[in-house]
Amino acid sequence: MCRTKKSNTMLYDESASDTKTLIKIAAKKIFVKRGFAGTRLKEIADEAKIGRTALHYYFHSKENLFAEVLKDFFSAIGSRVTNYGDLDRPVVEIMKQFVGGYIESAVQTPEIDLFMLNEFNENPELMLMAKNSDDKDLPNYLMSAIEKACANGELKGSPEQIFISIMSMCMFPFAGMAAVKTFMKLSDEAYIELMMQRREYLLKFVETAFLP
């Protein structure tokens, strides 16, 4: 499980030593495991090996701590596609950049996708409040590129349907990781290898799937 262990390091920097960072590391582990509603601050304090007083000193409430964790996760997802560039490039190039960057990064942190999907369903207002206005907005970037391409005839079909198709093709194997591994009887290592194969499959797929 070499890559998933690497992903845990990316999310949870075990080398950290300052109290505030240790609290955030612990909070990420517990929130990802239990979600916002199912998490108690005592669990986070116990995981961080500190008292409740210290936790309240730094974050004051579960909502504040959750918001800090979400900011890190939004940044992690935003970093999945770097160097966005403008929308004047060929849309296939943009879609391939999105798909390749998304999956390559998601295999490092597969637990984020299910967590974020669940929390958007359960706590949409909290999620939107936690998102910084300057965060990279992958969905809007991709949607804008698709809309422009459909308008100028570079792509055929509904922009909304194309967008949903690409997002779901990228997200589902990670949000549904447990189901995929169970149904296909995959080990952790085999699952990661399959996801890297999927990256190559989708890169080829989007080259022609939505062309006129």
Side-chain angles (χ1 to χ4, degrees), residues 92-164:
V92 168
E93 178 183 326
I94 293 173
M95 291 190 296
K96 289 179 68 175
Q97 181 189 23
F98 180 92
V99 167
Y102 190 101
I103 294 181
E104 187 171 336
S105 177
V107 297
Q108 307 295 332
T109 54
E111 58 268 53
I112 288 183
D113 289 74
L114 179 57
F115 168 77
M116 297 292 274
L117 182 63
N118 285 340
E119 294 303 321
F120 262 117
N121 286 329
E122 295 294 328
N123 303 292
E125 293 182 1
L126 265 178
M127 296 292 285
L128 292 175
M129 286 175 60
K131 189 177 186 304
N132 288 328
S133 59
D134 59 349
D135 282 337
K136 294 177 179 178
D137 197 330
L138 285 177
N140 282 343
Y141 174 75
L142 180 61
M143 186 66 188
S144 296
I146 292 171
E147 287 176 334
K148 181 177 179 180
C150 288
N152 65 25
E154 195 176 351
L155 296 179
K156 66 176 179 181
S158 161
E160 292 79 9
Q161 295 298 333
I162 295 172
F163 172 79
I164 292 171

Side-chain angles (χ1 to χ4, degrees), residues 154-198:
E154 195 176 351
L155 296 179
K156 66 176 179 181
S158 161
E160 292 79 9
Q161 295 298 333
I162 295 172
F163 172 79
I164 292 171
S165 295
I166 293 175
M167 291 294 293
S168 60
M169 286 188 298
C170 289
M171 292 181 65
F172 172 76
F174 300 102
M177 175 172 59
V180 171
K181 289 167 64 176
T182 299
F183 293 150
M184 302 185 73
K185 298 180 174 62
L186 298 174
S187 66
D188 293 331
E189 293 82 359
Y191 167 79
I192 293 299
E193 181 60 32
L194 181 64
M195 292 304 99
M196 294 309 295
Q197 293 172 5
R198 181 168 182 77

